[in-house]
Structure formats: C-alpha cells, structure tokens
Amino acid sequence: VHIETLVQDTVQLSSAMASDARVEILHDPVPSQYTLLGHPLELAQALLNLVSNAIQHVASMPRPRWVRIQVLAEGDDYLFQVVDSGLSAAIEHPERLFMPFYTTKDVGLGTGLGLPLSQGIAEAHGGHIILDRQARHTTFVMKIPSRPGQAE
C-alpha cells in the first residue's frame, strides 16, 4: 500500500463532508517511499472513519475548524495521526471511545461502530489506535507496522 495514495484518497473522499461542515482538511506531504503490506480498502476505511469523526467533532465549533492528517515513520511502524482543532481535554469518557455502540454524537448521528471497526482493522494489521491524551488538540493515532508480524 502506498501511504501517499491512501492519504490523498482519504482527503478526496472526505472533502465534500468537510466542505459542507466548513472544515479545512490539511495533510502533510508523505514521502513516496512510505509503503506497507496490508489490505488497502480496509486501511482506507479505518483512516476515513478517523477523519470523518474528526470533521463531525469540530463541525459545530467556532472557527477555525480544521483536520490534519500526518504520517510519521517510527522504526518499522507508521503512525497515522488525525488531529483536529478541538481540544483533547474536552473528550468525555475517553475510556469508552472504542466500545461498540458508545457514541458522543447526538441521537441519530452516530452508531458507535466507527472507532471499534477502525480499531479492529488496525489490530488485524498488527497495530492499534489510541487517543493521544497528552496532545493539545484532539489526536487519534493509528499505528500500523510496515510489514505483517512486526507488531510489538
């Protein structure tokens, strides 16, 4: 999987939702040599879920509203960071975020399945997703090894 393509596709797929919510989508350049072994559609779904959640999270906040996708290499792993303009300290019940059917959204706006589904995809690829509680802005990090069997 070419990570640059994965990020560009995610930005393209989420651009209409972001535009409707008046949220700017930003992404840092991804080196072209960043690749990993995995199922491209599953990884795209997980990243798109994180970006969609971020857009929905900041949609009703004061401007500026933005979501940034960053990809960092850490040893044999890639860290996909989805950061939004919200404050991480404002996230209520962070310990419940990955529980099926738990949602922070209004009734009818969320099923509570996006994060658990994304976590399952990350785990199937030998990785995981966390909420970085130390970050100023709301930051979800999806860690995926570049090759299967390299998980910690």
Side-chain angles (χ1 to χ4, degrees):
V1 177
H2 288 277
I3 295 175
E4 181 179 30
T5 302
L6 180 66
V7 170
Q8 289 173 348
D9 289 351
T10 300
V11 169
Q12 184 178 5
L13 288 168
S14 60
S15 64
M17 178 186 200
S19 178
D20 290 347
R22 294 191 167 100
V23 174
E24 183 178 10
I25 299 229
L26 309 164
H27 64 94
D28 294 352
V30 178
S32 59
Q33 71 268 22
Y34 281 16
T35 60
L36 58 84
L37 291 178
H39 193 283
L41 292 177
E42 289 180 0
L43 292 168
Q45 181 64 58
L47 187 58
L48 184 60
N49 281 343
L50 293 175
V51 171
S52 296
N53 281 351
I55 292 168
Q56 292 170 347
H57 179 240
V58 299
S60 61
M61 293 182 179
R63 288 186 164 184
R65 294 187 293 263
W66 50 265
V67 173
R68 177 182 297 277
I69 305 168
Q70 300 169 300
V71 180
L72 306 171
E74 182 181 84
D76 291 328
D77 300 324
Y78 290 108
L79 306 179
F80 294 80
Q81 297 181 329
V82 177
V83 184
D84 69 46
S85 54
L87 300 178
S88 64
I91 300 287
E92 294 181 11
H93 306 292
E95 70 282 359
R96 295 184 185 171
L97 290 176
F98 295 97
M99 293 173 57
F101 305 109
Y102 176 77
T103 183
T104 59
K105 299 172 187 163
D106 292 334
V107 174
L109 296 180
T111 62
L113 294 174
L115 282 175
L117 174 69
S118 296
Q119 183 73 284
I121 291 169
E123 289 172 354
H125 285 82
H128 62 268
I129 299 173
I130 62 161
L131 170 64
D132 182 353
R133 300 287 292 154
Q134 304 302 314
R136 178 173 186 259
H137 293 285
T138 308
T139 303
F140 281 87
V141 180
M142 180 170 67
K143 183 176 185 177
I144 303 290
S146 60
R147 302 288 180 262
Q150 292 183 342
E152 298 174 0

